[in-house]
């Protein structure tokens, strides 16, 4: 990793289990789960600043869920 930084992160047991489950289900690492989560959070934060919304669409492009509270 270019210009990597060592960091210690303490999380609750519940969060650790959730991260581990997500990594296992998706066949990836905890690092990748955290990176993707931060990437989605960045997109949500940017959208919020632009008064935009993030949603989940079905196959017909209908909004079936909206991400709120981010």
């Amino acid at each position: 990793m270019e210009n990597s930084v060592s960091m210690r992160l303490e999380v609750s047991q519940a969060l650790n289990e959730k991260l581990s489950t997500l990594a296992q289900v998706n066949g990836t690492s905890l690092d990748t789960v955290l990176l993707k989560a931060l990437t989605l959070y960045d997109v949500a934060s940017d959208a919020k600043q632009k008064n935009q919304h993030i949603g989940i669409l079905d196959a017909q492009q209908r909004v079936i869920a909206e991400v709120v509270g981010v």
Side-chain angles (χ1 to χ4, degrees), residues 35-55:
L35 178 60
K36 288 182 177 188
L38 288 170
T39 300
L40 284 170
Y41 188 84
D42 187 38
V43 169
S45 178
D46 187 49
K48 183 177 181 179
Q49 291 175 13
K50 295 176 182 176
N51 201 29
Q52 298 171 336
H53 302 270
I54 296 177

Side-chain angles (χ1 to χ4, degrees), residues 9-32:
L9 178 65
E10 289 189 36
V11 298
S12 68
Q13 184 65 32
L15 179 54
N16 184 59
E17 290 172 7
K18 182 66 171 178
L19 291 169
S20 295
T21 299
L22 287 169
Q24 184 178 29
V25 167
N26 291 287
T28 191
S29 67
L30 290 175
D31 292 2
T32 300

